[in-house]
């Protein structure tokens, strides 16, 4: 079974405009927003770091070495792009320890911006979201791209997992896609190969689960049901992890969806029930029917069935044009991909 990615549906017509993404690391900036105030006391030191051309796990390992702690005592809310300039928080569990000489932390491409104590552990997904500042160069039709971005802020875009999850990069200027290493590893696992490296195995599992989510999301778009709330649909309240099941009176919910208050969802496959009922469950079972080997494998990997919003709306959108260069800023909730928003607006060639 080959796990391909180039057939996923667009919400509207595929974009025609082209542009270059990540010509320089500073062309892709990400800043985490925790969404809560640190207490200033407690067993955990939160460290905000700006990193350039470094992956999150590598920085976490460097922090563990500097603090002389096991790696499990260094946590983060989520992985950030390697080929970028990103600001993110790391949590370090050090009960009883006063502090560290952070001015002595030396890692090329990384700098400590601030530190503060907190009384709770920094867990995966525990942040409000990310603010993106993206520079697109050699844009063929800036006005068309701006128009599509403005449309995305109003109507939303499919909440696909981005290419980073699959290890895919556009490595040639003609836009030809190189298949992602994480998906190749996932295929090998499906075929019975045992991947012993824990980190690689985790990345392959994540890629496989995300691929199935994208497949089912694409199918729902193709059926023109992304914005249609069915009785029994699992609904997500925008900007939160709260979900509930829609009853038979979907008119009020549909109005709230139009106001960006809530979204339909798609299963993140694992062990257990999808949570949907009735008509919505019938639709999801039909969408998932062709993926029996993937579903069975994921359910056997100690993954619990979860849900993910099917629609996202870029917030705080700003677009600034300088000739054929566009500087775009917007905010997305935790776990959402800026490249997913860009995908609806232009075809990018990634040079990083």
């Amino acid at each position: 079974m080959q796990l391909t990615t180039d057939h996923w549906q667009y919400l509207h017509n595929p974009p025609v405009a082209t542009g270059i993404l990540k010509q320089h690391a500073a062309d892709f900036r990400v800043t985490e927003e925790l969404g809560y105030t640190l207490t200033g006391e407690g067993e955990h030191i939160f460290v905000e770091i700006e990193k350039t051309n470094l992956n999150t796990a590598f920085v976490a390992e460097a922090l563990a070495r500097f603090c002389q702690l096991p790696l499990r005592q260094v946590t983060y809310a989520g992985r950030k792009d390697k080929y970028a300039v990103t600001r993110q928080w790391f949590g370090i569990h050090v009960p009883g320890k006063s502090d560290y000489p952070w001015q002595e932390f030396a890692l090329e491409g990384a700098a400590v911006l601030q530190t503060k104590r907190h009384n709770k552990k920094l867990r995966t997904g525990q942040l409000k979201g990310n603010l993106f500042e993206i520079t697109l160069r050699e844009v063929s039709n800036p006005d068309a791209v701006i128009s599509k971005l403005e449309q995305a802020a109003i109507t939303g875009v499919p909440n696909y997992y981005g290419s980073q999850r699959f290890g895919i990069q556009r490595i040639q200027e003609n836009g030809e896609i190189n298949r992602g290493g994480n998906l190749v590893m996932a295929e090998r696992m499906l075929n019975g190969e045992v991947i012993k490296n824990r980190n690689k195995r985790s990345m392959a599992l994540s890629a496989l689960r995300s691929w199935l989510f994208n497949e089912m999301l694409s199918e729902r778009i193709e059926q023109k049901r992304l914005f249609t709330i069915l009785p029994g649909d699992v609904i997500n309240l925008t900007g939160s992890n709260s979900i509930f099941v829609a009853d038979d009176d979907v008119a009020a919910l549909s109005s709230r969806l139009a106001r960006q208050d809530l979204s339909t969802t798609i299963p993140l496959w694992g062990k257990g029930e999808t949570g949907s009922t009735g008509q919505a469950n019938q639709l999801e079972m039909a969408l998932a029917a062709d993926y029996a080997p993937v579903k069975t494998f994921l359910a056997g990997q100690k993954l619990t069935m979860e849900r993910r919003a099917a629609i996202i709306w870029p917030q705080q959108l700003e677009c600034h044009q300088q000739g054929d260069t566009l500087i775009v800023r917007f905010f997305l909730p935790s776990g959402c991909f800026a490249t997913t928003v860009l995908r609806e607006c232009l075809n990018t060639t990634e040079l990083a």
Side-chain angles (χ1 to χ4, degrees), residues 72-120:
R72 65 178 178 274
Q73 288 181 234
V74 180
T75 60
Y76 43 85
R79 295 175 183 263
K80 294 290 178 287
D81 299 80
K82 176 179 180 180
Y83 301 107
V85 178
T86 66
R87 293 185 173 191
Q88 76 173 115
W89 290 91
F90 293 82
I92 301 173
H93 187 209
V94 281
K97 175 75 176 180
S98 57
D99 208 347
Y100 291 94
W102 295 108
Q103 71 278 6
E104 296 178 11
F105 177 71
L107 178 64
E108 186 176 357
V112 175
L113 302 179
Q114 61 173 314
T115 65
K116 196 168 185 177
R117 287 266 176 182
H118 193 53
N119 59 1
K120 294 181 179 179

Side-chain angles (χ1 to χ4, degrees), residues 17-30:
T18 60
I20 294 176
L21 177 64
K22 296 185 180 180
Q23 188 171 59
H24 312 286
D27 287 350
F28 200 91
R29 294 180 176 271
V30 189

Side-chain angles (χ1 to χ4, degrees), residues 271-283:
K271 186 178 181 180
E273 302 298 323
T274 64
S276 59
T277 62
Q279 189 177 348
N281 183 258
Q282 292 173 15
L283 171 64

Side-chain angles (χ1 to χ4, degrees), residues 3 63 129 138 141-142 167 184 260 334 351:
L3 308 177
L63 285 169
E138 298 182 25
N141 191 337
V184 173
Q260 306 181 9
S334 172
L351 298 186

